[in-house]
Amino acid sequence: MASGDPPTIPHSAPVAVRGVLLALLPLLAALLYWQGQQVDSSLLDFQSGGHTLTAFLPKQVEKWQREERVRSFNSANLYEYVNGHAEYFLSAGFRALTVAEYRLPTDDKQPSLVLDLYDLGDPLNAFGILMDEMGSSGQPVAVGDAGFVNRRSLGFMAGSYYVKLAAFADDLSLQVVAQAVAKSIQNGTGPSPDKISFDRLFPDLGTLVTTRFIKENYHGWSFLQRVVERSFKQADGTVIQAFVVTGTPEQMLQLEQTLINFFKQEGSAISARQEEGIRLVQIADRYEGDWFVVPLKRSLLGIFHPWDDHFKKPFKAFIPHG
Amino acid sequence: MQRREFLKSSVAIAASATLPSLVKAEEFVPSQQKNATKPLVKNYRQLGKTAIHMGDISFGAGKLPSASMVLRAIDQGMNYFDTAPDYGNSENLIGEAMTRFKQRDKIYIASKYCTPLPYPSHLSAGSSKADYIATVEASLKRMHLDYLDVVFVHAMGEKNDKLEEEQKRLLDENMLLATEELKKAGKVRYLAVSSHGPNNLEPLLTSAVTSGHFDLIMTAFNFMKFPKLPQIIQLAAQHNVGVIAMKTLAGAKESGVESGETPFEHAAFRWVLKHPEVAGLVVTIKTVEDLNLYLQASGTPFTAQDQRALDRYAALHGQTYCRTGCGDCMNACPQGVDIANILRYQMYFEDYGDEKRAMQNYLALTHPATPCLDCQQPTCTAACDYGLPVAKKLQAAHRTLSFTSMA
């Protein structure tokens, strides 16, 4: 070939290049797949309700230093963190979870504190989880809207958030970190518009004695789930129990119908009446005694007592939730 | 509401024993004309040499949701209620029911030598006579009763795998003296022992039966074979010691093995009740639906269709169900992992939906399944006569039950 001629590529060359490229394709695909597998979805910081949950977690609280690596989970990968327990949280309104670890200067290999911050979308959900996980075994502690502490763990709720701190040794000042996180949540969400307000769910029926959360099968009725129950002491020393279930207007209509159908099948006498502008459904129940429910737009209130005049005043002042 | 008030009201769960009485309702009298639309107890059997004639299907009140459930059960013919101080609010709710139901002699109430601390809170061997008496008196107070029909030395072999130590608890002299005194005072009628394993169920129940001190035993018993249990219940019958069965649903898995009109629960109950030595079974009842479903099996015979349903269940779950009380794997781990208890807590979590109790119990274990995660020599699997993949199950259990240690 003369030097002035344009270079020519042998016919066989493109075929070889194409062959090499073709041969590389599976390799390339494998490489891309492998890189994809290296992305730990838990390291993505999911946004929740307009907030990045990590922003609620201070980097330093006194001697506690937050580890750089903070893991986040959503409903699709929650099982990676709480395998076997994910459904429990999902059914309680779970939106997002962020897990952080805090280290003391004296910690050797393992950080001594793990903090789980759950966004449960609603204060009632957070209250339910808190009571379920900690309420019967822990001692009350003044953190957030409500909290309990055990030997090595502390749980509290703040608005719709449930926070659980677990320590790997005794006598660690969990409260210090918990208080900082509670304050941070409060600062981040502002004066909590969704702060739990049981007072708006119940009329003032006397001196408050207890507040409980019952996750399922309230009084053995499988249609009553996620119930808040309160008991009120009367002037004569007796106690009246009341309960409330909240939900959308459609859910409440359905619940009312289910409840009425159940008691009809039971053979209980059911009657409706108006009192103080509120509709009551009275149930003559062989087992509970006479009691009544108040179907409201976003809640269903039940009171285990027959209606009588002493309810008039509290019901007049009652501004129902929602 | 101030936060302090909120906190105060929130923790009142644990303090509910001190609640003032609820608004009084009228006396509850069981329906004379039984409602034909509701299933009823149809068969009552004598419990050993006692004067107890218990319903073949009886009420396990470990997850009792309300006092009204007790009244409802009485209305449907149930007459035997099994509770304990460490079953949450159960005794208080029975007490609430008893303020309305006045016919004390029509029902039998059994409780345990335990305290109201979170389960398990059985009195240990070496407790004083006064401790034993105090637990019964506290139960009576919570339930507004003058006497207990039965008091149990509860859950033998549950927390302690040392046979000798548990035998000391079983035959604790102070317990026997306290029982004698309580019987003389008319506060207790009969002494009993219960065991759902996992440790030494068979030797402990055999000791109880042959000791002459116990009027009845309550044992885990179901169609998923317990090697020596048939002999033990026969031995009990020979000694005129009554037998009550529990854990009869063999894990209560969502099996989907109903054949035709036979729900799995009915087949499992009928299998237990076909043994003439068994006076009745105690099953946990949480809802009205449970009550109505379970009672449909009362007084009905075990059929070939039932056997087919159970065979299908065994085929589906035989290699996943850990036989409570079997104990083959107990000493299989050189690192001392508490295999049988861990698998049982996993059953509480997965099959009974009792997540909180399962996780709390797991947390309290001295030898959890932590070493199983990177175990290179899983000797436990070979130890299981039923072929359960024990090592894998332990790893899964740890992940499920440890929760906070997942980080």
Side-chain angles (χ1 to χ4, degrees):
Chain A
M1 181 174 67
S3 62
D5 293 342
T8 56
I9 300 170
H11 273 295
S12 59
V15 174
V17 170
R18 279 198 292 270
V20 170
L21 283 174
L22 276 171
L24 282 174
L25 270 175
L27 203 63
L28 195 64
L31 184 68
L32 285 170
Y33 175 78
W34 180 80
Q35 282 191 324
Q37 294 305 299
Q38 301 315 299
V39 177
D40 183 350
S41 60
S42 73
L43 295 175
L44 302 173
D45 190 12
F46 297 114
Q47 291 231 332
S48 173
H51 306 288
T52 302
L53 292 183
T54 310
F56 291 143
L57 303 175
K59 289 190 174 171
Q60 178 99 32
V61 184
E62 294 188 1
K63 289 181 183 175
W64 297 93
Q65 180 80 39
R66 196 185 82 196
E67 294 279 89
E68 194 62 35
R69 183 173 178 265
V70 172
R71 291 173 295 157
S72 296
F73 301 87
N74 63 10
S75 54
N77 68 348
L78 179 64
Y79 71 91
E80 290 174 10
Y81 185 62
V82 285
N83 188 15
H85 207 38
E87 191 54 43
Y88 167 75
F89 284 98
L90 294 172
S91 65
F94 173 85
R95 289 185 179 179
L97 162 67
T98 288
V99 181
E101 293 171 321
Y102 283 82
R103 179 183 287 277
L104 284 170
T106 50
D107 287 349
D108 185 13
K109 288 180 182 170
Q110 194 180 35
S112 48
L113 192 161
V114 177
L115 184 149
D116 300 344
L117 168 58
Y118 290 87
D119 180 356
L120 294 162
D122 181 271
L124 196 57
N125 292 334
F127 177 66
I129 294 282
L130 172 71
M131 295 305 288
D132 209 30
E133 292 234 306
M134 308 281 296
S136 58
S137 57
Q139 294 297 314
V141 60
V143 179
D145 296 336
F148 297 93
V149 65
N150 282 321
R151 189 163 62 103
R152 287 189 180 181
S153 63
L154 186 154
F156 72 92
M157 62 168 289
S160 55
Y161 300 96
Y162 167 63
V163 184
K164 185 167 185 180
L165 298 87
F168 289 101
D170 291 342
D171 306 323
L172 295 177
S173 50
L174 293 176
Q175 284 194 44
V176 174
V177 181
Q179 291 288 12
V181 174
K183 191 175 173 187
S184 178
I185 292 173
Q186 192 183 10
N187 291 341
T189 55
S192 181
D194 55 356
K195 184 173 177 178
I196 197 159
S197 175
F198 294 120
D199 290 345
R200 290 180 63 205
L201 296 174
F202 292 90
D204 181 6
L205 298 174
T207 306
L208 181 63
V209 185
T210 59
T211 301
R212 300 171 65 213
F213 179 83
I214 297 92
K215 193 171 83 172
E216 57 191 4
N217 304 326
Y218 183 63
H219 276 222
W221 301 319
S222 56
F223 52 84
L224 281 184
Q225 316 287 348
R226 300 183 65 245
V227 171
V228 177
E229 179 195 79
R230 277 192 153 182
S231 53
F232 299 90
K233 193 173 180 181
Q234 308 299 289
D236 64 0
T238 57
V239 169
I240 289 178
Q241 267 184 357
F243 71 87
V244 76
V245 181
T246 58
T248 63
E250 295 76 25
Q251 287 169 333
M252 292 302 98
L253 276 175
Q254 193 176 356
L255 178 60
E256 180 190 348
Q257 203 52 55
T258 305
L259 183 140
I260 288 172
N261 288 343
F262 174 84
F263 283 103
K264 275 184 179 169
Q265 280 184 354
E266 288 273 293
S268 302
I270 296 171
S271 59
R273 64 194 280 184
Q274 291 278 333
E275 290 288 348
E276 304 302 322
I278 295 175
R279 184 167 63 92
L280 315 176
V281 177
Q282 295 189 124
I283 302 163
D285 185 341
R286 176 165 169 69
Y287 308 110
E288 299 285 354
D290 290 350
W291 61 290
F292 64 96
V293 292
V294 183
L296 299 162
K297 192 175 178 186
R298 290 179 181 277
S299 64
L300 185 129
L301 172 69
I303 296 178
F304 292 109
H305 194 282
W307 173 269
D308 64 30
D309 284 351
H310 96 279
F311 286 120
K312 281 189 174 176
K313 191 177 169 190
F315 268 83
K316 205 167 188 174
F318 179 46
I319 304 166
H321 169 75
Chain B
M1 181 175 54
Q2 296 299 308
R3 189 170 62 195
R4 190 173 297 275
E5 288 175 83
F6 174 84
L7 289 171
K8 204 173 157 188
S9 63
S10 299
V11 292
I13 277 179
S16 53
T18 58
L19 278 181
S21 59
L22 290 171
V23 170
K24 285 186 175 52
E26 62 189 30
E27 182 177 344
F28 177 80
V29 179
S31 181
Q32 294 300 309
Q33 242 182 343
K34 299 288 187 190
N35 188 335
T37 61
K38 289 181 184 173
L40 305 170
V41 176
K42 296 190 189 79
N43 192 11
Y44 298 87
R45 302 180 185 179
Q46 183 168 358
L47 185 54
K49 60 178 175 277
T50 75
I52 292 174
H53 285 76
M54 71 182 295
D56 56 357
I57 293 174
S58 287
F59 203 111
K63 306 283 278 180
L64 182 61
S66 62
S68 59
M69 279 296 287
V70 175
L71 302 177
R72 190 181 288 275
I74 290 171
D75 222 13
Q76 292 180 237
M78 280 191 156
N79 68 348
Y80 184 95
F81 295 83
D82 179 87
T83 184
D86 53 354
Y87 287 175
N89 210 23
S90 176
E91 287 194 336
N92 292 309
L93 291 171
I94 289 175
E96 196 183 317
M98 294 309 292
T99 60
R100 288 190 59 198
F101 179 66
K102 308 291 185 189
Q103 301 172 39
R104 173 69 183 89
D105 60 331
K106 302 289 186 203
I107 63 167
Y108 308 108
I109 296 178
S111 191
K112 318 279 160 55
Y113 276 130
C114 305
T115 73
L117 294 170
Y119 186 93
S121 68
H122 325 313
L123 288 189
S124 55
S127 297
S128 69
K129 189 176 90 173
D131 286 341
Y132 285 105
I133 290 174
T135 59
V136 167
E137 288 183 336
S139 288
L140 293 176
K141 191 175 175 189
R142 281 188 289 272
M143 291 191 274
H144 305 297
L145 300 176
D146 295 326
Y147 66 93
L148 287 178
D149 292 282
V150 183
V151 65
F152 276 90
V153 180
H154 190 33
M156 297 303 306
E158 179 183 44
K159 298 291 288 181
N160 193 339
D161 61 0
K162 295 178 181 62
L163 176 61
E164 202 174 305
E165 288 179 13
E166 280 296 77
Q167 267 173 331
K168 277 184 187 163
R169 182 162 79 95
L170 176 72
L171 300 170
D172 186 344
E173 195 178 339
N174 286 340
M175 182 275 294
L176 294 172
L177 288 171
T179 306
E180 196 180 315
E181 195 167 314
L182 287 162
K183 281 185 175 180
K184 274 185 189 161
K187 293 178 178 176
V188 162
R189 297 177 70 196
Y190 303 110
L191 178 64
V193 61
S194 71
S195 180
H196 39 68
N199 308 300
N200 301 311
L201 178 145
E202 288 149 346
L204 287 165
L205 289 182
T206 304
S207 290
V209 166
T210 54
S211 73
H213 292 297
F214 293 88
D215 300 295
L216 59 126
I217 61 171
M218 181 161 70
T219 177
F221 185 48
N222 61 54
F223 65 98
M224 298 282 268
K225 297 191 180 174
F226 289 80
K228 291 182 190 163
L229 261 180
Q231 291 99 302
I232 292 172
I233 63 173
Q234 282 164 17
L235 185 70
Q238 286 162 19
H239 284 75
N240 225 357
V241 170
V243 177
I244 299 175
M246 61 175 168
K247 312 286 177 202
T248 50
L249 293 174
K253 288 180 188 299
E254 295 292 334
S255 59
V257 295
E258 288 81 356
S259 75
E261 295 97 43
T262 304
F264 159 72
E265 292 86 349
H266 294 180
F269 290 166
R270 286 194 281 251
W271 184 90
V272 168
L273 294 169
K274 75 175 182 174
H275 295 81
E277 302 87 355
V278 176
L281 63 87
V282 162
V283 60
T284 301
I285 293 175
K286 294 186 281 190
T287 66
V288 175
E289 286 91 339
D290 285 346
L291 179 66
N292 290 335
L293 173 67
Y294 296 163
L295 283 188
Q296 287 169 32
S298 176
T300 54
F302 186 72
T303 65
Q305 196 178 38
D306 292 334
Q307 187 61 59
R308 283 196 294 275
L310 299 184
D311 288 345
R312 271 196 294 279
Y313 181 96
L316 273 172
H317 299 297
Q319 292 206 327
T320 58
Y321 172 62
C322 176
R323 281 80 172 161
T324 318
C326 154
D328 281 349
C329 57
M330 262 167 35
N331 300 314
C333 178
Q335 301 199 58
V337 169
D338 195 349
I339 301 169
N341 268 324
I342 294 167
L343 296 183
R344 189 157 56 88
Y345 298 155
Q346 177 76 340
M347 178 179 79
Y348 289 163
F349 188 103
E350 280 191 340
D351 303 330
Y352 293 177
D354 201 350
E355 296 153 353
K356 188 174 161 188
R357 177 180 165 197
M359 294 171 86
Q360 280 178 342
N361 285 358
Y362 187 71
L363 196 66
L365 285 177
T366 314
H367 296 292
T370 322
C372 307
L373 297 180
D374 51 7
C375 177
Q376 300 300 312
Q377 291 181 311
T379 49
C380 51
T381 297
C384 179
D385 281 351
Y386 300 97
L388 264 67
V390 179
K392 281 184 184 172
K393 286 177 78 71
L394 287 169
Q395 290 167 357
H398 179 75
R399 294 193 182 100
T400 304
L401 300 170
S402 59
F403 183 45
T404 51
S405 59
M406 288 293 296

